[in-house]
Amino acid sequence: MPTTWHVLGAGSLGTLWAARLFRAGLPVQLVLRNTQRLQDYRAAGGLTLVEQGQAQCYPVPGETADSPGPIKRLLLACKAYDAENAIASVAHRLSAETELILLQNGLGSQDAVANRIPQARCISASSTEGAFREGDWRVVFAGHGYTWLGDPAHPVPPFWLEDLDGAGIPHEWSTDILTRLWRKLALNCAINPLTVLHDCKNGGLLEHHCEVATLCAELTALLENCGQPAAAADLQPEVERVIHATAANYSSMYQDVANRRRTEISYLLGHACKVAQRHGVAAPHLEQLRQRLITHLDNLGLPSD
Ligand code: NAP
């Protein structure tokens, strides 16, 4: 019997993964937060994934977090700020045999989850795939990309990566997943908050070159001094390259704020500032940026944690 893929979080990435695993004939079970959400889901008849304008509904079975069965493989597909509560809701179903795949952006939530369930293996992921919700249970696959998976505590890849091959989920096992997560976090810190504060697309930051360069210098020093030198290498040229390559795009944080959604600030810029303080690395501009962003979110009446 193949192991069931439990997918907690039927949002953008959760749906993208669940739909592809399900159509490859693999056993998939969606885990929803409560009976009301399960009823809504069943009434909808399944998850709809829109690819290149074509919508297809996949009747992936669903259950609530407090269902009785054990969970051996869990894809945690919620936002970073929901991860700890979400894992607590299924903790009674996890064992030493359980493997978790953590799809959260940024850093901090992975450790919080691992500390809650020390018995389970936690695999972190960093993805460049893009998807967004058009409505409940309906997700648009917006950008093809790659997902890197890795376990900082254990370099051996799990055998079930072949399920991802079968499901057409582009991936690679990474022995330096922390470097990848830190690099992505640093790029995010140098670009996303400024797009919110300057109310611009990524390309608008070309007019704020000095501010970006100052942040890159502080981020580089931080990475070099907190045990992540590989993530620091040539950071500023890469930030500039990303700004040029994505000039016409709005950053994910910009979109969250524009849509009045909670941001993942605490797991991105907030995490960088926390680690800088812990390691005694001076990061005054990053800290000032964090304060400006918090004030901006407060003024908009949005959560700033
Ligand atoms: P999302 O669309 O907001 O989906 C999150 C889902 O988690 C929602 O369906 C939410 O349920 C569910 N959830 C939260 N707490 C739960 C709980 N306790 N029990 C059950 N379900 C729960 O988020 P997303 O865009 O997929 O992002 C997930 C993570 O992937 C984030 O860290 C994000 O930064 C990262 N990421 C996303 C993308 C992308 O393109 N979307 C790309 C790369 C990385 P409700 O619907 O009931 O609220």
Side-chain angles (χ1 to χ4, degrees), residues 9-19 30 32 37 40-41 43-58 60 130-142 261:
S12 310
L13 282 197
T15 297
L16 190 55
W17 278 64
L30 272 185
L32 302 171
R37 291 295 281 162
D40 290 352
Y41 173 66
L47 294 172
T48 298
L49 184 64
V50 183
E51 291 171 278
Q52 285 150 1
Q54 298 291 315
Q56 176 81 45
C57 182
Y58 301 95
V60 179
F132 63 89
R133 280 205 263 190
E134 257 189 351
D136 260 359
W137 326 117
R138 186 180 171 97
V139 165
V140 178
F141 191 177
R261 288 191 299 249

Short mmCIF file of all heavy atoms in Angstrom, two decimals, residues 9-19 30 32 37 40-41 43-58 60 130-142 261:
data_model
loop_
_atom_site.label_atom_id
_atom_site.label_comp_id
_atom_site.label_asym_id
_atom_site.label_seq_id
_atom_site.Cartn_x
_atom_site.Cartn_y
_atom_site.Cartn_z
N GLY A 9 -3.85 22.35 4.48
CA GLY A 9 -3.86 23.68 3.88
C GLY A 9 -4.27 23.56 2.42
O GLY A 9 -3.44 23.20 1.58
N ALA A 10 -5.55 23.83 2.14
CA ALA A 10 -6.04 23.72 0.76
C ALA A 10 -6.03 25.09 0.10
O ALA A 10 -6.99 25.50 -0.54
CB ALA A 10 -7.45 23.12 0.78
N GLY A 11 -4.93 25.83 0.27
CA GLY A 11 -4.77 27.13 -0.37
C GLY A 11 -4.03 26.96 -1.69
O GLY A 11 -4.17 25.93 -2.36
N SER A 12 -3.23 27.95 -2.04
CA SER A 12 -2.59 27.97 -3.36
C SER A 12 -1.63 26.79 -3.56
O SER A 12 -1.83 25.96 -4.45
CB SER A 12 -1.84 29.29 -3.55
OG SER A 12 -2.66 30.37 -3.22
N LEU A 13 -0.60 26.71 -2.72
CA LEU A 13 0.38 25.64 -2.93
C LEU A 13 -0.17 24.27 -2.54
O LEU A 13 0.13 23.27 -3.19
CB LEU A 13 1.66 25.92 -2.14
CG LEU A 13 2.64 26.95 -2.72
CD1 LEU A 13 4.00 26.82 -2.07
CD2 LEU A 13 2.76 26.86 -4.22
N GLY A 14 -0.99 24.22 -1.48
CA GLY A 14 -1.57 22.95 -1.07
C GLY A 14 -2.39 22.33 -2.20
O GLY A 14 -2.29 21.14 -2.50
N THR A 15 -3.20 23.17 -2.86
CA THR A 15 -4.02 22.69 -3.97
C THR A 15 -3.15 22.26 -5.15
O THR A 15 -3.40 21.23 -5.79
CB THR A 15 -5.01 23.80 -4.41
OG1 THR A 15 -5.88 24.06 -3.31
CG2 THR A 15 -5.80 23.40 -5.64
N LEU A 16 -2.11 23.06 -5.43
CA LEU A 16 -1.22 22.74 -6.55
C LEU A 16 -0.57 21.37 -6.35
O LEU A 16 -0.48 20.57 -7.29
CB LEU A 16 -0.15 23.85 -6.63
CG LEU A 16 0.76 23.90 -7.83
CD1 LEU A 16 -0.02 23.95 -9.12
CD2 LEU A 16 1.69 25.11 -7.72
N TRP A 17 -0.15 21.10 -5.14
CA TRP A 17 0.47 19.80 -4.85
C TRP A 17 -0.59 18.69 -4.83
O TRP A 17 -0.40 17.64 -5.44
CB TRP A 17 1.20 19.84 -3.51
CG TRP A 17 2.57 20.45 -3.60
CD1 TRP A 17 2.87 21.73 -3.92
CD2 TRP A 17 3.83 19.80 -3.35
NE1 TRP A 17 4.24 21.92 -3.88
CE2 TRP A 17 4.84 20.76 -3.53
CE3 TRP A 17 4.19 18.51 -2.97
CZ2 TRP A 17 6.20 20.47 -3.36
CZ3 TRP A 17 5.55 18.22 -2.80
CH2 TRP A 17 6.54 19.19 -3.00
N ALA A 18 -1.67 18.91 -4.11
CA ALA A 18 -2.68 17.85 -3.94
C ALA A 18 -3.24 17.43 -5.30
O ALA A 18 -3.39 16.24 -5.57
CB ALA A 18 -3.80 18.35 -3.03
N ALA A 19 -3.53 18.41 -6.17
CA ALA A 19 -4.13 18.08 -7.48
C ALA A 19 -3.17 17.24 -8.31
O ALA A 19 -3.57 16.24 -8.94
CB ALA A 19 -4.50 19.37 -8.22
N LEU A 30 -6.91 15.55 1.96
CA LEU A 30 -6.82 16.95 2.39
C LEU A 30 -7.20 17.05 3.85
O LEU A 30 -8.17 16.42 4.27
CB LEU A 30 -7.83 17.80 1.63
CG LEU A 30 -7.48 18.40 0.30
CD1 LEU A 30 -8.65 19.28 -0.13
CD2 LEU A 30 -6.21 19.20 0.39
N LEU A 32 -8.58 19.59 6.57
CA LEU A 32 -9.18 20.92 6.71
C LEU A 32 -9.40 21.26 8.17
O LEU A 32 -9.43 20.38 9.02
CB LEU A 32 -10.49 20.96 5.93
CG LEU A 32 -10.28 20.62 4.45
CD1 LEU A 32 -11.61 20.44 3.73
CD2 LEU A 32 -9.46 21.69 3.76
N ARG A 37 -15.53 23.85 7.26
CA ARG A 37 -14.71 23.92 6.04
C ARG A 37 -14.83 22.61 5.24
O ARG A 37 -14.85 22.65 4.01
CB ARG A 37 -13.23 24.17 6.39
CG ARG A 37 -12.94 25.55 6.95
CD ARG A 37 -13.20 26.66 5.95
NE ARG A 37 -12.15 26.84 4.99
CZ ARG A 37 -12.32 27.50 3.83
NH1 ARG A 37 -13.49 28.00 3.51
NH2 ARG A 37 -11.32 27.65 2.99
N ASP A 40 -18.13 22.72 3.40
CA ASP A 40 -18.01 23.64 2.25
C ASP A 40 -17.26 22.95 1.12
O ASP A 40 -17.62 23.04 -0.06
CB ASP A 40 -17.22 24.90 2.64
CG ASP A 40 -17.99 25.79 3.60
OD1 ASP A 40 -19.18 25.52 3.84
OD2 ASP A 40 -17.37 26.76 4.11
N TYR A 41 -16.18 22.26 1.50
CA TYR A 41 -15.33 21.61 0.50
C TYR A 41 -16.11 20.51 -0.23
O TYR A 41 -16.09 20.43 -1.45
CB TYR A 41 -14.06 21.04 1.16
CG TYR A 41 -13.24 20.22 0.20
CD1 TYR A 41 -12.63 20.82 -0.90
CD2 TYR A 41 -13.09 18.84 0.37
CE1 TYR A 41 -11.89 20.06 -1.81
CE2 TYR A 41 -12.37 18.08 -0.52
CZ TYR A 41 -11.77 18.70 -1.62
OH TYR A 41 -11.05 17.95 -2.52
N ALA A 43 -19.26 20.28 -0.59
CA ALA A 43 -20.30 20.88 -1.44
C ALA A 43 -19.70 21.35 -2.77
O ALA A 43 -20.36 21.31 -3.81
CB ALA A 43 -20.95 22.06 -0.70
N ALA A 44 -18.43 21.77 -2.73
CA ALA A 44 -17.77 22.23 -3.96
C ALA A 44 -17.40 21.06 -4.87
O ALA A 44 -17.19 21.22 -6.06
CB ALA A 44 -16.52 23.04 -3.60
N GLY A 45 -17.28 19.87 -4.30
CA GLY A 45 -17.04 18.67 -5.11
C GLY A 45 -15.57 18.38 -5.40
O GLY A 45 -15.26 17.42 -6.10
N GLY A 46 -14.68 19.20 -4.89
CA GLY A 46 -13.26 18.90 -5.11
C GLY A 46 -12.45 20.17 -5.26
O GLY A 46 -12.96 21.28 -5.09
N LEU A 47 -11.17 19.97 -5.59
CA LEU A 47 -10.26 21.11 -5.81
C LEU A 47 -10.19 21.40 -7.29
O LEU A 47 -10.02 20.47 -8.10
CB LEU A 47 -8.85 20.76 -5.33
CG LEU A 47 -8.65 20.54 -3.83
CD1 LEU A 47 -7.24 20.02 -3.57
CD2 LEU A 47 -8.92 21.82 -3.06
N THR A 48 -10.31 22.66 -7.66
CA THR A 48 -10.19 23.01 -9.07
C THR A 48 -8.84 23.69 -9.30
O THR A 48 -8.49 24.65 -8.62
CB THR A 48 -11.33 23.95 -9.50
OG1 THR A 48 -12.56 23.24 -9.33
CG2 THR A 48 -11.19 24.38 -10.95
N LEU A 49 -8.10 23.14 -10.26
CA LEU A 49 -6.81 23.73 -10.64
C LEU A 49 -6.94 24.26 -12.07
O LEU A 49 -7.38 23.54 -12.97
CB LEU A 49 -5.70 22.67 -10.55
CG LEU A 49 -4.28 23.18 -10.83
CD1 LEU A 49 -3.84 24.19 -9.78
CD2 LEU A 49 -3.29 22.01 -10.84
N VAL A 50 -6.57 25.52 -12.24
CA VAL A 50 -6.63 26.15 -13.57
C VAL A 50 -5.22 26.23 -14.13
O VAL A 50 -4.34 26.84 -13.52
CB VAL A 50 -7.24 27.58 -13.47
CG1 VAL A 50 -7.38 28.19 -14.86
CG2 VAL A 50 -8.58 27.55 -12.74
N GLU A 51 -5.02 25.56 -15.27
CA GLU A 51 -3.70 25.57 -15.91
C GLU A 51 -3.85 26.01 -17.35
O GLU A 51 -4.66 25.44 -18.08
CB GLU A 51 -3.10 24.16 -15.89
CG GLU A 51 -2.72 23.68 -14.50
CD GLU A 51 -2.33 22.21 -14.51
OE1 GLU A 51 -3.25 21.36 -14.46
OE2 GLU A 51 -1.14 21.90 -14.57
N GLN A 52 -3.11 27.02 -17.75
CA GLN A 52 -3.19 27.58 -19.10
C GLN A 52 -4.64 27.82 -19.51
O GLN A 52 -5.08 27.45 -20.60
CB GLN A 52 -2.48 26.67 -20.10
CG GLN A 52 -0.99 26.78 -19.99
CD GLN A 52 -0.25 25.51 -20.35
OE1 GLN A 52 -0.86 24.51 -20.71
NE2 GLN A 52 1.06 25.55 -20.27
N GLY A 53 -5.41 28.38 -18.57
CA GLY A 53 -6.80 28.74 -18.88
C GLY A 53 -7.78 27.59 -18.78
O GLY A 53 -8.99 27.79 -18.89
N GLN A 54 -7.30 26.37 -18.58
CA GLN A 54 -8.18 25.21 -18.51
C GLN A 54 -8.41 24.81 -17.07
O GLN A 54 -7.44 24.52 -16.35
CB GLN A 54 -7.55 24.00 -19.23
CG GLN A 54 -7.30 24.21 -20.71
CD GLN A 54 -8.60 24.28 -21.51
OE1 GLN A 54 -9.51 23.48 -21.29
NE2 GLN A 54 -8.70 25.25 -22.41
N ALA A 55 -9.67 24.77 -16.64
CA ALA A 55 -9.98 24.38 -15.27
C ALA A 55 -10.33 22.89 -15.21
O ALA A 55 -11.05 22.38 -16.07
CB ALA A 55 -11.15 25.21 -14.75
N GLN A 56 -9.79 22.23 -14.20
CA GLN A 56 -10.09 20.81 -14.01
C GLN A 56 -10.34 20.57 -12.52
O GLN A 56 -9.58 21.05 -11.68
CB GLN A 56 -8.88 19.99 -14.47
CG GLN A 56 -8.96 18.50 -14.26
CD GLN A 56 -9.76 17.80 -15.36
OE1 GLN A 56 -9.58 18.09 -16.54
NE2 GLN A 56 -10.65 16.91 -14.95
N CYS A 57 -11.44 19.85 -12.23
CA CYS A 57 -11.77 19.59 -10.82
C CYS A 57 -11.27 18.20 -10.41
O CYS A 57 -11.48 17.22 -11.14
CB CYS A 57 -13.28 19.69 -10.62
SG CYS A 57 -13.75 19.44 -8.89
N TYR A 58 -10.60 18.13 -9.28
CA TYR A 58 -10.08 16.86 -8.75
C TYR A 58 -10.77 16.55 -7.43
O TYR A 58 -10.60 17.30 -6.46
CB TYR A 58 -8.55 16.96 -8.54
CG TYR A 58 -7.82 17.30 -9.82
CD1 TYR A 58 -7.49 18.62 -10.12
CD2 TYR A 58 -7.49 16.30 -10.73
CE1 TYR A 58 -6.83 18.94 -11.31
CE2 TYR A 58 -6.83 16.61 -11.92
CZ TYR A 58 -6.51 17.93 -12.20
OH TYR A 58 -5.88 18.23 -13.37
N VAL A 60 -10.40 15.22 -4.60
CA VAL A 60 -9.48 14.73 -3.56
C VAL A 60 -10.29 14.56 -2.27
O VAL A 60 -11.00 15.49 -1.87
CB VAL A 60 -8.35 15.77 -3.33
CG1 VAL A 60 -7.40 15.29 -2.24
CG2 VAL A 60 -7.62 16.07 -4.62
N GLY A 130 4.55 29.24 -8.70
CA GLY A 130 3.63 30.32 -8.33
C GLY A 130 2.19 29.90 -8.55
O GLY A 130 1.85 29.30 -9.57
N ALA A 131 1.34 30.19 -7.57
CA ALA A 131 -0.09 29.89 -7.69
C ALA A 131 -0.86 30.88 -6.85
O ALA A 131 -0.34 31.43 -5.89
CB ALA A 131 -0.36 28.46 -7.20
N PHE A 132 -2.10 31.14 -7.25
CA PHE A 132 -2.94 32.01 -6.42
C PHE A 132 -4.37 31.51 -6.42
O PHE A 132 -4.81 30.82 -7.34
CB PHE A 132 -2.86 33.48 -6.88
CG PHE A 132 -3.37 33.73 -8.26
CD1 PHE A 132 -4.71 34.03 -8.49
CD2 PHE A 132 -2.51 33.67 -9.36
CE1 PHE A 132 -5.19 34.26 -9.77
CE2 PHE A 132 -2.98 33.91 -10.65
CZ PHE A 132 -4.32 34.20 -10.85
N ARG A 133 -5.07 31.89 -5.35
CA ARG A 133 -6.45 31.45 -5.18
C ARG A 133 -7.39 32.38 -5.92
O ARG A 133 -7.34 33.59 -5.72
CB ARG A 133 -6.83 31.49 -3.70
CG ARG A 133 -6.34 30.31 -2.93
CD ARG A 133 -7.21 30.08 -1.73
NE ARG A 133 -6.61 30.68 -0.54
CZ ARG A 133 -7.06 30.47 0.69
NH1 ARG A 133 -8.10 29.68 0.89
NH2 ARG A 133 -6.49 31.04 1.72
N GLU A 134 -8.25 31.81 -6.76
CA GLU A 134 -9.28 32.62 -7.43
C GLU A 134 -10.52 32.68 -6.57
O GLU A 134 -11.37 33.53 -6.76
CB GLU A 134 -9.63 31.98 -8.78
CG GLU A 134 -9.01 32.70 -9.93
CD GLU A 134 -9.54 32.20 -11.26
OE1 GLU A 134 -10.26 31.18 -11.33
OE2 GLU A 134 -9.21 32.83 -12.25
N GLY A 135 -10.63 31.73 -5.68
CA GLY A 135 -11.77 31.64 -4.78
C GLY A 135 -11.52 30.42 -3.92
O GLY A 135 -10.48 29.77 -4.06
N ASP A 136 -12.47 30.10 -3.04
CA ASP A 136 -12.31 28.89 -2.24
C ASP A 136 -12.20 27.68 -3.15
O ASP A 136 -12.98 27.54 -4.10
CB ASP A 136 -13.52 28.73 -1.32
CG ASP A 136 -13.20 29.20 0.09
OD1 ASP A 136 -12.06 29.62 0.34
OD2 ASP A 136 -14.11 29.14 0.94
N TRP A 137 -11.25 26.83 -2.88
CA TRP A 137 -11.09 25.54 -3.58
C TRP A 137 -10.79 25.69 -5.07
O TRP A 137 -10.97 24.76 -5.84
CB TRP A 137 -12.34 24.65 -3.40
CG TRP A 137 -13.02 24.80 -2.08
CD1 TRP A 137 -14.29 25.26 -1.88
CD2 TRP A 137 -12.49 24.53 -0.78
NE1 TRP A 137 -14.58 25.29 -0.53
CE2 TRP A 137 -13.49 24.85 0.17
CE3 TRP A 137 -11.26 24.04 -0.31
CZ2 TRP A 137 -13.32 24.71 1.54
CZ3 TRP A 137 -11.08 23.91 1.06
CH2 TRP A 137 -12.10 24.23 1.96
N ARG A 138 -10.35 26.87 -5.49
CA ARG A 138 -10.04 27.09 -6.92
C ARG A 138 -8.73 27.88 -7.02
O ARG A 138 -8.64 29.00 -6.54
CB ARG A 138 -11.18 27.86 -7.58
CG ARG A 138 -11.02 27.99 -9.09
CD ARG A 138 -12.19 28.77 -9.68
NE ARG A 138 -11.94 29.08 -11.08
CZ ARG A 138 -12.40 28.36 -12.10
NH1 ARG A 138 -13.16 27.32 -11.90
NH2 ARG A 138 -12.12 28.71 -13.35
N VAL A 139 -7.74 27.24 -7.66
CA VAL A 139 -6.40 27.82 -7.68
C VAL A 139 -5.87 27.89 -9.11
O VAL A 139 -6.10 26.98 -9.92
CB VAL A 139 -5.45 26.97 -6.79
CG1 VAL A 139 -3.99 27.27 -7.04
CG2 VAL A 139 -5.79 27.19 -5.31
N VAL A 140 -5.19 28.98 -9.41
CA VAL A 140 -4.58 29.16 -10.74
C VAL A 140 -3.08 28.88 -10.62
O VAL A 140 -2.40 29.45 -9.76
CB VAL A 140 -4.80 30.61 -11.24
CG1 VAL A 140 -4.13 30.81 -12.60
CG2 VAL A 140 -6.29 30.93 -11.32
N PHE A 141 -2.60 28.00 -11.48
CA PHE A 141 -1.16 27.69 -11.55
C PHE A 141 -0.54 28.79 -12.41
O PHE A 141 -0.67 28.81 -13.62
CB PHE A 141 -1.00 26.31 -12.21
CG PHE A 141 0.39 25.72 -12.11
CD1 PHE A 141 0.62 24.44 -12.61
CD2 PHE A 141 1.44 26.40 -11.53
CE1 PHE A 141 1.89 23.86 -12.52
CE2 PHE A 141 2.71 25.84 -11.43
CZ PHE A 141 2.92 24.57 -11.94
N ALA A 142 0.12 29.75 -11.74
CA ALA A 142 0.52 30.98 -12.44
C ALA A 142 1.95 30.97 -12.94
O ALA A 142 2.28 31.69 -13.88
CB ALA A 142 0.31 32.17 -11.51
N ARG A 261 -4.21 41.33 3.03
CA ARG A 261 -3.93 40.05 3.68
C ARG A 261 -2.76 40.23 4.64
O ARG A 261 -1.91 41.11 4.44
CB ARG A 261 -3.52 38.99 2.63
CG ARG A 261 -4.67 38.49 1.77
CD ARG A 261 -4.22 37.27 0.96
NE ARG A 261 -3.13 37.60 0.07
CZ ARG A 261 -3.22 37.64 -1.26
NH1 ARG A 261 -4.36 37.40 -1.85
NH2 ARG A 261 -2.18 37.94 -2.00
#
